[in-house]
Amino acid sequence: QEWRDQLAKTTAEFVGSTFDSELWAKLAESIFYLPGDIGREDDFARLRDLLGKLENGSAATRVYYLSTAPRFYEPAIRHLGAAGPAHPAGVQ
């Protein structure tokens, strides 16, 4: 929650007077942060487990934000695929 609060603060500063705190509160319910290490496959398994819990087995559209150097994209994508939480649309 602390992280979401900080996101709200910085977003409000960026957006200015058009920031809608009520709308933000609804969006924030769907924002999650799970720290991990790209080099650790078990961290991707933890991500898979968290997503399963949050989505309760339902189909979902996800956005993965890779806040990392480009040289880590390939291992991150490989680990996402191996752990199972990232599939092309319609592929399970």
Side-chain angles (χ1 to χ4, degrees), residues 60-90:
T61 300
R62 303 182 189 126
V63 175
Y64 294 96
Y65 175 71
L66 299 176
S67 179
T68 187
R71 71 178 187 262
F72 297 119
Y73 291 172
E74 191 270 331
I77 292 167
R78 186 172 5 95
H79 291 321
L80 278 170
H87 296 285

Side-chain angles (χ1 to χ4, degrees), residues 37 39-47:
D37 183 327
R40 295 182 51 159
E41 290 185 50
D42 58 325
D43 283 348
F44 289 85
R46 287 188 320 115
L47 174 61

Side-chain angles (χ1 to χ4, degrees), residues 15 48 58 60 62 64 81:
V15 173
R48 179 200 59 225
S58 299
R62 303 182 189 126
Y64 294 96

Side-chain angles (χ1 to χ4, degrees), residues 11-35:
T11 302
E13 289 172 4
F14 178 77
V15 173
S17 63
T18 60
F19 182 76
D20 182 334
S21 59
E22 212 171 284
L23 184 59
W24 175 264
K26 290 179 184 177
L27 174 65
E29 293 174 1
S30 300
I31 299 174
F32 296 90
Y33 174 77
L34 179 69

